[in-house]
Tab-separated table of all heavy atoms in Angstrom:
chain	number	residue	atom	x	y	z
O	271	LEU	N	-63.891	16.693	-64.755
O	271	LEU	CA	-64.673	16.544	-65.978
O	271	LEU	C	-63.803	16.455	-67.225
O	271	LEU	O	-64.316	16.256	-68.327
O	271	LEU	CB	-65.667	17.698	-66.106
O	271	LEU	CG	-66.706	17.793	-64.988
O	271	LEU	CD1	-67.612	18.998	-65.192
O	271	LEU	CD2	-67.533	16.514	-64.881
O	272	ARG	N	-62.483	16.582	-67.063
O	272	ARG	CA	-61.569	16.335	-68.187
O	272	ARG	C	-61.310	14.842	-68.364
O	272	ARG	O	-61.139	14.368	-69.483
O	272	ARG	CB	-60.237	17.056	-67.956
O	272	ARG	CG	-60.320	18.577	-67.910
O	272	ARG	CD	-58.945	19.145	-67.584
O	272	ARG	NE	-58.932	20.586	-67.538
O	272	ARG	CZ	-59.263	21.309	-66.465
O	272	ARG	NH1	-59.632	20.690	-65.356
O	272	ARG	NH2	-59.220	22.624	-66.492
O	273	THR	N	-61.234	14.133	-67.259
O	273	THR	CA	-60.872	12.714	-67.300
O	273	THR	C	-61.956	11.801	-66.749
O	273	THR	O	-61.860	10.587	-66.894
O	273	THR	CB	-59.602	12.475	-66.461
O	273	THR	OG1	-59.901	12.785	-65.084
O	273	THR	CG2	-58.455	13.358	-66.939
O	274	MET	N	-62.968	12.378	-66.096
O	274	MET	CA	-64.053	11.652	-65.424
O	274	MET	C	-63.516	10.771	-64.304
O	274	MET	O	-64.121	9.768	-63.949
O	274	MET	CB	-64.894	10.858	-66.417
O	274	MET	CG	-65.498	11.725	-67.504
O	274	MET	SD	-66.297	13.254	-66.915
O	274	MET	CE	-67.618	12.627	-65.898
O	275	LYS	N	-62.386	11.162	-63.738
O	275	LYS	CA	-61.822	10.474	-62.580
O	275	LYS	C	-62.203	11.220	-61.303
O	275	LYS	O	-62.342	12.443	-61.304
O	275	LYS	CB	-60.299	10.386	-62.684
O	275	LYS	CG	-59.778	9.687	-63.933
O	275	LYS	CD	-60.157	8.218	-63.961
O	275	LYS	CE	-59.543	7.514	-65.154
O	275	LYS	NZ	-59.960	6.087	-65.238
O	276	ILE	N	-62.339	10.461	-60.218
O	276	ILE	CA	-62.629	11.064	-58.922
O	276	ILE	C	-61.325	11.508	-58.287
O	276	ILE	O	-60.422	10.703	-58.041
O	276	ILE	CB	-63.393	10.078	-58.025
O	276	ILE	CG1	-64.773	9.804	-58.635
O	276	ILE	CG2	-63.535	10.630	-56.606
O	276	ILE	CD1	-65.546	8.720	-57.970
O	277	LEU	N	-61.227	12.814	-58.037
O	277	LEU	CA	-60.002	13.387	-57.489
O	277	LEU	C	-59.957	13.327	-55.975
O	277	LEU	O	-58.875	13.287	-55.375
O	277	LEU	CB	-59.865	14.848	-57.928
O	277	LEU	CG	-59.817	15.126	-59.431
O	277	LEU	CD1	-59.715	16.624	-59.667
O	277	LEU	CD2	-58.641	14.408	-60.072
O	278	GLN	N	-61.139	13.336	-55.347
O	278	GLN	CA	-61.180	13.471	-53.897
O	278	GLN	C	-62.523	12.950	-53.395
O	278	GLN	O	-63.554	13.074	-54.087
O	278	GLN	CB	-61.009	14.949	-53.521
O	278	GLN	CG	-60.798	15.247	-52.059
O	278	GLN	CD	-60.605	16.746	-51.825
O	278	GLN	OE1	-60.771	17.563	-52.731
O	278	GLN	NE2	-60.252	17.107	-50.599
O	279	ALA	N	-62.530	12.375	-52.211
O	279	ALA	CA	-63.769	11.946	-51.566
O	279	ALA	C	-63.713	12.369	-50.106
O	279	ALA	O	-62.730	12.094	-49.406
O	279	ALA	CB	-63.944	10.437	-51.676
O	280	LEU	N	-64.754	13.069	-49.664
O	280	LEU	CA	-64.801	13.614	-48.313
O	280	LEU	C	-66.105	13.200	-47.645
O	280	LEU	O	-67.153	13.169	-48.281
O	280	LEU	CB	-64.733	15.149	-48.341
O	280	LEU	CG	-63.476	15.775	-48.917
O	280	LEU	CD1	-63.807	17.099	-49.564
O	280	LEU	CD2	-62.465	16.004	-47.802
O	281	LYS	N	-66.039	12.911	-46.346
O	281	LYS	CA	-67.258	12.664	-45.586
O	281	LYS	C	-67.930	13.989	-45.258
O	281	LYS	O	-67.274	14.980	-44.931
O	281	LYS	CB	-66.939	11.917	-44.298
O	281	LYS	CG	-66.544	10.468	-44.499
O	281	LYS	CD	-67.703	9.626	-45.044
O	281	LYS	CE	-68.822	9.446	-44.032
O	281	LYS	NZ	-69.921	8.593	-44.558
O	282	VAL	N	-69.255	13.996	-45.386
O	282	VAL	CA	-70.062	15.158	-45.026
O	282	VAL	C	-71.158	14.667	-44.077
O	282	VAL	O	-71.366	13.458	-43.921
O	282	VAL	CB	-70.664	15.841	-46.265
O	282	VAL	CG1	-69.590	16.524	-47.089
O	282	VAL	CG2	-71.456	14.854	-47.119
O	283	PRO	N	-71.876	15.575	-43.416
O	283	PRO	CA	-72.953	15.135	-42.528
O	283	PRO	C	-73.962	14.247	-43.264
O	283	PRO	O	-74.139	14.347	-44.475
O	283	PRO	CB	-73.579	16.453	-42.071
O	283	PRO	CG	-72.440	17.425	-42.110
O	283	PRO	CD	-71.641	17.033	-43.311
O	284	ASP	N	-74.634	13.395	-42.496
O	284	ASP	CA	-75.535	12.400	-43.060
O	284	ASP	C	-76.624	13.032	-43.926
O	284	ASP	O	-77.108	14.129	-43.646
O	284	ASP	CB	-76.205	11.595	-41.941
O	284	ASP	CG	-75.231	10.681	-41.221
O	284	ASP	OD1	-74.134	10.434	-41.775
O	284	ASP	OD2	-75.569	10.216	-40.121
O	285	ASP	N	-77.002	12.306	-44.963
O	285	ASP	CA	-78.096	12.674	-45.871
O	285	ASP	C	-77.885	14.033	-46.539
O	285	ASP	O	-78.726	14.928	-46.457
O	285	ASP	CB	-79.439	12.672	-45.134
O	285	ASP	CG	-79.796	11.312	-44.584
O	285	ASP	OD1	-79.559	10.307	-45.288
O	285	ASP	OD2	-80.298	11.243	-43.447
O	286	PRO	N	-76.750	14.236	-47.227
O	286	PRO	CA	-76.555	15.502	-47.957
O	286	PRO	C	-77.620	15.664	-49.024
O	286	PRO	O	-78.029	14.704	-49.663
O	286	PRO	CB	-75.155	15.342	-48.562
O	286	PRO	CG	-74.948	13.860	-48.660
O	286	PRO	CD	-75.660	13.278	-47.473
O	287	ASP	N	-78.063	16.911	-49.206
O	287	ASP	CA	-79.178	17.158	-50.116
O	287	ASP	C	-78.828	18.226	-51.150
O	287	ASP	O	-78.546	17.927	-52.300
O	287	ASP	CB	-80.422	17.557	-49.312
O	287	ASP	CG	-81.690	17.575	-50.142
O	287	ASP	OD1	-81.634	17.250	-51.352
O	287	ASP	OD2	-82.756	17.909	-49.594
O	288	VAL	N	-78.799	19.490	-50.735
O	288	VAL	CA	-78.627	20.606	-51.674
O	288	VAL	C	-77.215	21.177	-51.561
O	288	VAL	O	-76.681	21.319	-50.462
O	288	VAL	CB	-79.678	21.703	-51.405
O	288	VAL	CG1	-79.507	22.863	-52.383
O	288	VAL	CG2	-81.096	21.128	-51.508
O	289	LEU	N	-76.618	21.492	-52.720
O	289	LEU	CA	-75.299	22.113	-52.768
O	289	LEU	C	-75.404	23.495	-53.402
O	289	LEU	O	-76.256	23.732	-54.266
O	289	LEU	CB	-74.319	21.275	-53.588
O	289	LEU	CG	-73.928	19.899	-53.057
O	289	LEU	CD1	-74.971	18.855	-53.448
O	289	LEU	CD2	-72.560	19.474	-53.590
O	290	ALA	N	-74.525	24.398	-52.977
O	290	ALA	CA	-74.445	25.734	-53.573
O	290	ALA	C	-72.976	26.079	-53.791
O	290	ALA	O	-72.142	25.841	-52.905
O	290	ALA	CB	-75.116	26.777	-52.682
O	291	TRP	N	-72.673	26.673	-54.945
O	291	TRP	CA	-71.292	26.979	-55.347
O	291	TRP	C	-71.171	28.476	-55.565
O	291	TRP	O	-71.955	29.080	-56.307
O	291	TRP	CB	-70.943	26.206	-56.601
O	291	TRP	CG	-69.663	26.570	-57.297
O	291	TRP	CD1	-69.526	27.079	-58.556
O	291	TRP	CD2	-68.331	26.434	-56.782
O	291	TRP	NE1	-68.203	27.265	-58.863
O	291	TRP	CE2	-67.443	26.872	-57.789
O	291	TRP	CE3	-67.808	25.972	-55.573
O	291	TRP	CZ2	-66.064	26.880	-57.617
O	291	TRP	CZ3	-66.425	25.983	-55.410
O	291	TRP	CH2	-65.575	26.425	-56.421
O	292	ASP	N	-70.172	29.089	-54.912
O	292	ASP	CA	-69.848	30.505	-55.109
O	292	ASP	C	-68.594	30.565	-55.976
O	292	ASP	O	-67.483	30.330	-55.488
O	292	ASP	CB	-69.610	31.180	-53.754
O	292	ASP	CG	-69.345	32.676	-53.880
O	292	ASP	OD1	-69.010	33.144	-54.985
O	292	ASP	OD2	-69.465	33.377	-52.857
O	293	PRO	N	-68.732	30.843	-57.286
O	293	PRO	CA	-67.593	30.684	-58.196
O	293	PRO	C	-66.445	31.649	-57.959
O	293	PRO	O	-65.280	31.267	-58.105
O	293	PRO	CB	-68.214	30.876	-59.584
O	293	PRO	CG	-69.472	31.638	-59.342
O	293	PRO	CD	-69.960	31.231	-57.991
O	294	SER	N	-66.733	32.897	-57.596
O	294	SER	CA	-65.631	33.851	-57.467
O	294	SER	C	-64.884	33.703	-56.142
O	294	SER	O	-63.674	33.957	-56.077
O	294	SER	CB	-66.133	35.289	-57.643
O	294	SER	OG	-67.122	35.597	-56.681
O	295	TRP	N	-65.586	33.295	-55.097
O	295	TRP	CA	-64.915	33.065	-53.813
O	295	TRP	C	-64.486	31.614	-53.647
O	295	TRP	O	-63.898	31.263	-52.628
O	295	TRP	CB	-65.828	33.490	-52.662
O	295	TRP	CG	-65.718	34.956	-52.367
O	295	TRP	CD1	-65.240	35.917	-53.194
O	295	TRP	CD2	-66.101	35.605	-51.153
O	295	TRP	NE1	-65.307	37.150	-52.581
O	295	TRP	CE2	-65.829	36.989	-51.326
O	295	TRP	CE3	-66.650	35.172	-49.962
O	295	TRP	CZ2	-66.097	37.928	-50.332
O	295	TRP	CZ3	-66.917	36.114	-48.964
O	295	TRP	CH2	-66.634	37.468	-49.142
O	296	ARG	N	-64.799	30.758	-54.627
O	296	ARG	CA	-64.366	29.361	-54.629
O	296	ARG	C	-64.850	28.633	-53.373
O	296	ARG	O	-64.140	27.841	-52.772
O	296	ARG	CB	-62.843	29.248	-54.743
O	296	ARG	CG	-62.182	30.208	-55.716
O	296	ARG	CD	-62.616	29.955	-57.121
O	296	ARG	NE	-62.074	28.723	-57.657
O	296	ARG	CZ	-62.534	28.120	-58.760
O	296	ARG	NH1	-63.583	28.612	-59.385
O	296	ARG	NH2	-61.986	27.019	-59.205
O	297	ARG	N	-66.097	28.911	-52.973
O	297	ARG	CA	-66.677	28.281	-51.782
O	297	ARG	C	-67.776	27.304	-52.209
O	297	ARG	O	-68.590	27.610	-53.090
O	297	ARG	CB	-67.284	29.317	-50.844
O	297	ARG	CG	-66.373	30.460	-50.442
O	297	ARG	CD	-65.354	30.068	-49.393
O	297	ARG	NE	-64.537	31.227	-49.041
O	297	ARG	CZ	-64.780	32.010	-47.982
O	297	ARG	NH1	-65.800	31.762	-47.187
O	297	ARG	NH2	-63.997	33.044	-47.736
O	298	LEU	N	-67.811	26.161	-51.540
O	298	LEU	CA	-68.858	25.174	-51.748
O	298	LEU	C	-69.581	24.959	-50.432
O	298	LEU	O	-68.951	24.812	-49.380
O	298	LEU	CB	-68.262	23.845	-52.234
O	298	LEU	CG	-69.268	22.703	-52.440
O	298	LEU	CD1	-70.166	22.970	-53.642
O	298	LEU	CD2	-68.535	21.372	-52.600
O	299	TYR	N	-70.917	24.915	-50.509
O	299	TYR	CA	-71.740	24.684	-49.334
O	299	TYR	C	-72.585	23.432	-49.570
O	299	TYR	O	-73.210	23.282	-50.622
O	299	TYR	CB	-72.646	25.886	-49.061
O	299	TYR	CG	-71.864	27.167	-48.870
O	299	TYR	CD1	-71.669	28.061	-49.924
O	299	TYR	CD2	-71.287	27.467	-47.637
O	299	TYR	CE1	-70.937	29.222	-49.752
O	299	TYR	CE2	-70.549	28.627	-47.457
O	299	TYR	CZ	-70.374	29.500	-48.513
O	299	TYR	OH	-69.637	30.647	-48.344
O	300	VAL	N	-72.590	22.540	-48.579
O	300	VAL	CA	-73.349	21.289	-48.653
O	300	VAL	C	-74.319	21.263	-47.476
O	300	VAL	O	-73.888	21.245	-46.317
O	300	VAL	CB	-72.436	20.058	-48.619
O	300	VAL	CG1	-73.269	18.775	-48.663
O	300	VAL	CG2	-71.428	20.088	-49.772
O	301	ALA	N	-75.614	21.279	-47.782
O	301	ALA	CA	-76.644	21.252	-46.749
O	301	ALA	C	-77.196	19.834	-46.639
O	301	ALA	O	-77.399	19.159	-47.651
O	301	ALA	CB	-77.766	22.234	-47.089
O	302	SER	N	-77.425	19.396	-45.404
O	302	SER	CA	-77.794	18.007	-45.158
O	302	SER	C	-79.098	17.894	-44.379
O	302	SER	O	-79.395	18.726	-43.508
O	302	SER	CB	-76.682	17.285	-44.384
O	302	SER	OG	-75.483	17.253	-45.143
O	303	GLU	N	-79.829	16.823	-44.687
O	303	GLU	CA	-81.080	16.536	-43.986
O	303	GLU	C	-80.852	16.355	-42.488
O	303	GLU	O	-81.751	16.596	-41.674
O	303	GLU	CB	-81.713	15.254	-44.543
O	303	GLU	CG	-82.101	15.317	-46.008
O	303	GLU	CD	-83.481	15.888	-46.222
O	303	GLU	OE1	-84.112	16.333	-45.235
O	303	GLU	OE2	-83.930	15.900	-47.376
């Protein structure tokens, strides 16, 4: 968000829907249809 450049692109399971971020443990969860 400093440069609006894409730093990384990763494949996730098909039809990703909801994401959840745990800021202190630096964990990201991606739930998919």
